[in-house]
Amino acid sequence: MMAKLMEVLARILKVIQPNLNVDACEALLSIAYFSIIRGYSWKASLFVAKQMNLESAFASDPKVESYRNVFGMSRVNTRETTAVGYVELADGNTFSTYRSIFDSVKDRFMWDDFFKIAQMNYAKDVSKIYHGSSTYEDSVHATSAEGLRVAFVLLYSLLPLSYIIIRKLF
């Protein structure tokens, strides 16, 4: 139900942020949603959005369309996941597949839970575990998170109304 809601809201965000594609809008809204319900700081939310943009070229990577994976998450073996499968890429790496972008974003937040990522040193801790490169954190910080602030405003203003509509319809 929330995945469908994010798809609908993404079309609204696309009108407000016409330079973003619909998948990026859906990912940003999903990041804002999970950040809100999990109490993430703005700084941590910003890092997650920038990471998504870096990993998926602002959700324009063809693998996003095919596999709904906006973080480049590989096959998950050791923790609970929302992935529904995986594909093996030509280079031998694996790539998780998801039903929706919402599920991909949820899985990224589940990754934080699994590794017990704290808000205090969020960017540094994520960078160490997620990628391992000494320049990864700087690369994420250098990436834009355009549209995230608008996604938060949209969610804060429309979520109460959306819940009412969904309750009436379902």
Side-chain angles (χ1 to χ4, degrees), residues 67-81:
Y67 308 122
R68 313 311 286 158
N69 184 338
V70 293
F71 285 97
M73 297 289 272
S74 58
R75 180 181 180 195
V76 177
N77 296 317
T78 58
R79 64 172 176 82
E80 189 176 338
T81 183

Side-chain angles (χ1 to χ4, degrees), residues 76-123:
V76 177
N77 296 317
T78 58
R79 64 172 176 82
E80 189 176 338
T81 183
T82 57
V84 293
Y86 70 95
V87 294
E88 194 160 324
L89 303 175
D91 63 6
N93 289 319
T94 60
F95 198 76
S96 288
T97 60
Y98 298 91
R99 278 189 200 93
S100 65
I101 288 174
F102 182 82
D103 286 346
S104 175
V105 172
K106 182 178 182 179
D107 196 46
R108 172 58 184 75
F109 281 86
M110 290 168 70
W111 182 91
D112 279 0
D113 293 343
F114 181 79
F115 287 104
K116 297 175 177 43
I117 304 293
Q119 297 281 315
M120 189 77 138
N121 297 309
Y122 188 81

Side-chain angles (χ1 to χ4, degrees), residues 123-144:
K124 193 168 292 320
D125 291 346
V126 167
S127 298
K128 254 191 288 189
I129 299 168
Y130 196 89
H131 198 272
S133 164
S134 61
T135 60
Y136 186 73
E137 182 181 356
D138 292 336
S139 296
V140 172
H141 283 305
T143 305
S144 168

Side-chain angles (χ1 to χ4, degrees), residues 6 9-11 13-14 17-32 49 52-53 56-61 64-65 68 70-71 101-102 105 144-148 151:
M6 292 303 147
L9 292 177
R11 301 203 185 303
L13 183 57
K14 171 73 175 139
Q17 297 280 161
N19 51 325
L20 297 176
N21 67 51
V22 174
D23 289 340
C25 291
E26 185 178 343
L28 290 169
L29 285 160
S30 298
I31 290 166
M52 180 275 298
N53 285 333
S56 67
F58 296 83
S60 66
D61 186 310
V64 171
E65 182 66 33
R68 313 311 286 158
V70 293
F71 285 97
I101 288 174
F102 182 82
V105 172
S144 168
E146 182 182 356
L148 183 63

